[in-house]
Every structure is written in C-alpha cells, then in structure tokens.
Amino acid sequence: MGEAQPQGTGPGTGQAAGGRGAQLAHTGLRHGWTTGACATAASTAAYTALLSGEFPDPVTITLPKGQTPSFALAVEELDAGGGSAMAGVVKDAGDDPDVTHGALIRARVRVLPPGSGVVFKAGPGVGTVTRPGLPLDVGEAAVNPVPRQMMREHLAEVARRCGGVAAPGAEPDVEVEISVDHGEEIARSTWNPRLGILGGLSILGTTGIVVPYSCSAWIDSIRRGVDVARAAGRTHVAGCTGSTSEKTVVALHRLPEDALLDMGDFAGAVLKYLRRHPVDRLTLCGGFAKLSKLAAGHLDLHSARSQVDKGFLAELARRGGADEALAGAVAEANTGLAALQLCAAAGVPLGDLVAATARDEALAVLRGAPVAVDVICIDRAGLVVGRAEPRGRAEPRGPGDARRNTPSR
C-alpha cells in the first residue's frame, strides 16, 4: 500500500520543515489505515465486481486529502444472480497499537430497488447506535459520517465507470453491509459499550490514515515543531488536536504550515515546552469533548487516560445560567456532544465556557511565560461551538502582524 509523503522533509531537502506533515515524518513511525478506509476499499471492490464481474485486486481508493493507497483483497465472493458481492480487507494500523489491527473488514453490496440510494447496514461485528449524543441517529449502523461519504463517492464513481447509473452525479441504489470478523469481541476493549454502541465496533476515520501513536516520539515531534516555528520567526502558533481543527485554525488565522503544531492528545507537552521556549501567541483548537478535558485540568487528552467529566460540564452550565433540571440533564448526558446540544437548545453558552476555562488552565501551566492563549472548540464537522479570546502576558498581535511573517500561498 502506498501513501503520499509529507513535503519538505527527508533526504535532499536541505533544511528542516515544520507543520503536521513534518511532525509525522519526524516520529519515524509507519502510518496505517482506518477502518473507514478499509471499508471504502472493500465496498468499492465488491460493487465493481457486481457490475463488471471482476474484483479489482489490489483496489485503489482516494482519501479525503488526496492520497491513493491500494489494498489487497483478503476474501471475495460474487453472487451475480442474487445481486450481491462481498469483498474483505485486513486492516493494517501501521505502528499504532490499535485494537483493530489485523481485523478483517468486509463489505457486502446488494442491489436495491430504484430510488433507494445508498443504505448502510451493520453486519456482524459492527455496532448499532442505541443512545443519543453521537453524530449518528439512534438505530443507525455505527459507520461514521466521513466513511459514509467516502463510500458514497467511490460507489458513485464505480457506477459511472461501469454503467450502473445513467445520470451524472446520481447515487447508486445499493445496500452496503459492513462487518468485522470478531468485531463484537474486539469492541469490548473500546468505549463503544459505554457510549451505547452495541453489537460491535464503529467504522471510523476522518482522513483515512491512522496516525501512529508513541508518547515519546510524538512529544519529541511537538518540540521540534515549536523549534521550527521559532526559527522561522513565527509569533503565533496553533496547537491542534487533528486535521479538522487544523483546517479551522488556518481558515480563521491564515497561519502558515510551519506555525501549526499537531498536538494530538498532548496538550501538556505543547504548554510545557512553550513555557521554556515562548512565542507571543498560542491558539489551541480541538473538539469540544477533548478541550473539556483540558478545562477540567487534564493535560493528556487520550481516552485511555482521561474522560469527559459530565459533572464538571454540569457545573460550568450552572455558571452559564442553567437551571437544576438542565444541569442534571447535562450530568447524565451520554457524551460531551449531547451535553453541548442540550445547553445550546437552552441558550447556555457551554462551548464558550469550556473554551474560557481551558484557556485559563493552559495559562496556569504556562506559569507566567510571555504567551497569550486563545481557545477554539469545534464539533465533528469543524463548526466553531466555543471561543475564548486571547489572554496572557504577551500582547497578542493582530491578524495583519501574523500575515507579515507568512509567505504567499
């Protein structure tokens, strides 16, 4: 399988580069592929066989950022007379200690009556949503929105290429059943049962790529990112929890690539290094739930080491004007997103309260270092749901000052 490599690093570049791609390269760890990417590859192969009679092996897909990995098929089955085909891909998580590494992800595609569109079904080993507060409706297969969109786009392309639909842009009429061998057993090692996802795993991923996880390697890459930004004269850097938050920061602040720190779960690593090697301004941007952990005093935001404290969110909601009924509902919410939605419906600015509290926690870790901090909370789609303006010892420069250090893009 192949993947486009980060630009600006490696032999022959002549100088260090910064930003997310350089940090990933600096860890020296091998990337893997998400369950969503594997499901997309499997469903693409199955639908191709259903329309053409032949399974593509390997099958190549296009990820949201343009990479084009190829996947070998582990299993295949064609029932042309019955209007279905199945293909399976073994997940390779790279150097990440992912519980789904080596799992067989299957996709069975069946023809549906005209007008049905693409329908997703949970097969054996894939969970079903049973509680609100997730980005899927109750009763839906636990196939997250981005993997669904990836599959829809690839199936539509197969249909166009193989003559399965007549109108350009039309969606094929198929059921896509995703299953994972031994998925229900594997899911017991995840948070799915607690979140009300029952019967198996979730099909996940926003980029298609599994970022390899190593505490020491990742923290070292964060430090290198700060060093590169400072050497380039950047006065404003951003610590982002992932690719969606990175896009949000770039859109809002027009920061160059070498001012972007792929913080991941290591908020403490960013803050402690900036305490010793300050810049004028730090923007922290991430998902509402993750940043609520920082607001509650956690510096490692990984789900294995910190959880969203709904009681803490209930107390913040009270400070924002929530009555006891709403505060109680927040404390009992299934997820942080559900708590946020409850408060939004009641006009309580829980997102802003989390952002402000996270900013103050960050400033406490900085211990008076000359760094101004602002915080942006987003939802899964990248919509800003909470903000806290810059506060700290440094006088933050405006967007115009930041742009004077930014090369044309």
Side-chain angles (χ1 to χ4, degrees):
M1 292 182 284
E3 176 196 349
Q5 295 301 311
Q7 299 295 311
T9 59
T13 57
Q15 62 180 2
R20 182 179 178 87
Q23 277 187 251
L24 288 171
H26 183 66
T27 65
L29 299 174
R30 188 170 64 89
H31 302 160
W33 312 107
T34 62
T35 50
C38 294
T40 299
S43 60
T44 299
Y47 193 41
T48 300
L50 189 57
L51 295 184
S52 71
E54 296 290 336
F55 286 91
D57 191 6
V59 56
T60 301
I61 64 171
T62 302
L63 300 180
K65 288 193 171 184
Q67 300 96 332
T68 54
S70 297
F71 298 78
L73 299 185
V75 293
E76 57 186 56
E77 176 188 302
L78 177 60
D79 179 11
S84 75
M86 182 276 294
V89 168
V90 174
K91 176 176 171 176
D92 178 4
D95 288 330
D96 190 69
D98 192 312
V99 295
T100 58
H101 177 69
L104 178 57
I105 316 295
R106 301 174 186 256
R108 182 174 294 278
V109 180
R110 299 183 180 90
V111 174
L112 293 178
S116 300
V118 178
V119 177
F120 292 95
K121 179 181 178 182
V126 169
T128 298
V129 177
T130 67
R131 297 173 63 183
L134 296 165
L136 298 166
D137 292 336
V138 171
E140 283 286 331
V143 180
N144 268 22
V146 171
R148 287 178 183 236
Q149 184 60 28
M150 288 171 60
M151 282 184 264
R152 284 193 173 99
E153 291 173 355
H154 282 78
L155 294 175
E157 176 58 31
V158 170
R160 286 192 291 272
R161 188 171 66 246
C162 299
V165 293
E171 191 172 83
D173 300 306
V174 292
E175 175 189 83
V176 182
E177 178 184 280
I178 306 298
S179 60
V180 181
D181 287 20
H182 310 293
E184 187 166 6
E185 178 183 347
I186 298 170
R188 298 190 188 110
S189 301
T190 73
W191 287 99
N192 275 16
R194 183 174 294 188
L195 294 174
I197 299 173
L198 303 182
L201 293 161
S202 300
I203 304 301
L204 303 171
T206 56
T207 65
I209 297 173
V210 172
V211 175
Y213 179 81
S214 162
C215 289
S216 58
W218 207 254
I219 289 172
D220 184 55
S221 76
I222 288 171
R223 293 168 177 167
R224 181 179 183 273
V226 172
D227 292 342
V228 168
R230 283 166 50 88
R234 306 304 175 201
T235 59
H236 182 183
V237 300
C240 306
T241 58
S243 59
T244 303
S245 54
E246 184 178 281
K247 290 178 184 176
T248 301
V249 164
V250 170
L252 291 174
H253 294 301
R254 301 186 185 180
L255 292 177
E257 184 180 26
D258 60 7
L260 302 173
L261 305 174
D262 193 355
M263 176 174 73
D265 294 312
F266 301 111
V270 171
L271 295 167
K272 291 173 185 177
Y273 199 66
L274 285 175
R275 188 167 70 203
R276 301 190 301 273
H277 308 276
V279 296
D280 286 359
R281 180 174 175 183
L282 168 67
T283 297
L284 295 175
C285 183
F288 168 81
K290 276 194 183 293
L291 291 182
S292 77
K293 298 179 186 180
L294 176 60
H298 298 287
L299 298 183
D300 185 337
L301 311 182
H302 194 277
S303 60
R305 285 170 294 281
S306 60
Q307 289 78 49
V308 175
D309 185 342
K310 266 68 72 69
F312 171 74
L313 292 180
E315 181 55 36
L316 287 183
R318 288 187 185 94
R319 295 181 203 171
D323 58 23
E324 282 306 308
L326 176 57
V330 167
E332 295 298 322
N334 185 32
T335 63
L337 175 61
L340 179 68
Q341 291 170 339
L342 287 169
C343 287
V348 174
L350 184 60
D352 291 339
L353 292 163
V354 163
T357 309
R359 176 196 60 196
D360 294 344
E361 286 292 328
L363 290 171
V365 176
L366 286 166
R367 297 181 186 171
V371 181
V373 180
D374 65 290
V375 173
I376 303 168
C377 296
I378 61 173
D379 64 11
R380 291 176 183 268
L383 179 68
V384 175
V385 295
R387 293 191 73 170
E389 292 302 310
R391 179 178 293 175
R393 285 188 57 192
E395 279 296 325
R397 303 183 183 188
D401 295 314
R403 283 195 291 271
R404 281 198 288 272
N405 281 329
T406 306
S408 300
R409 303 186 71 191

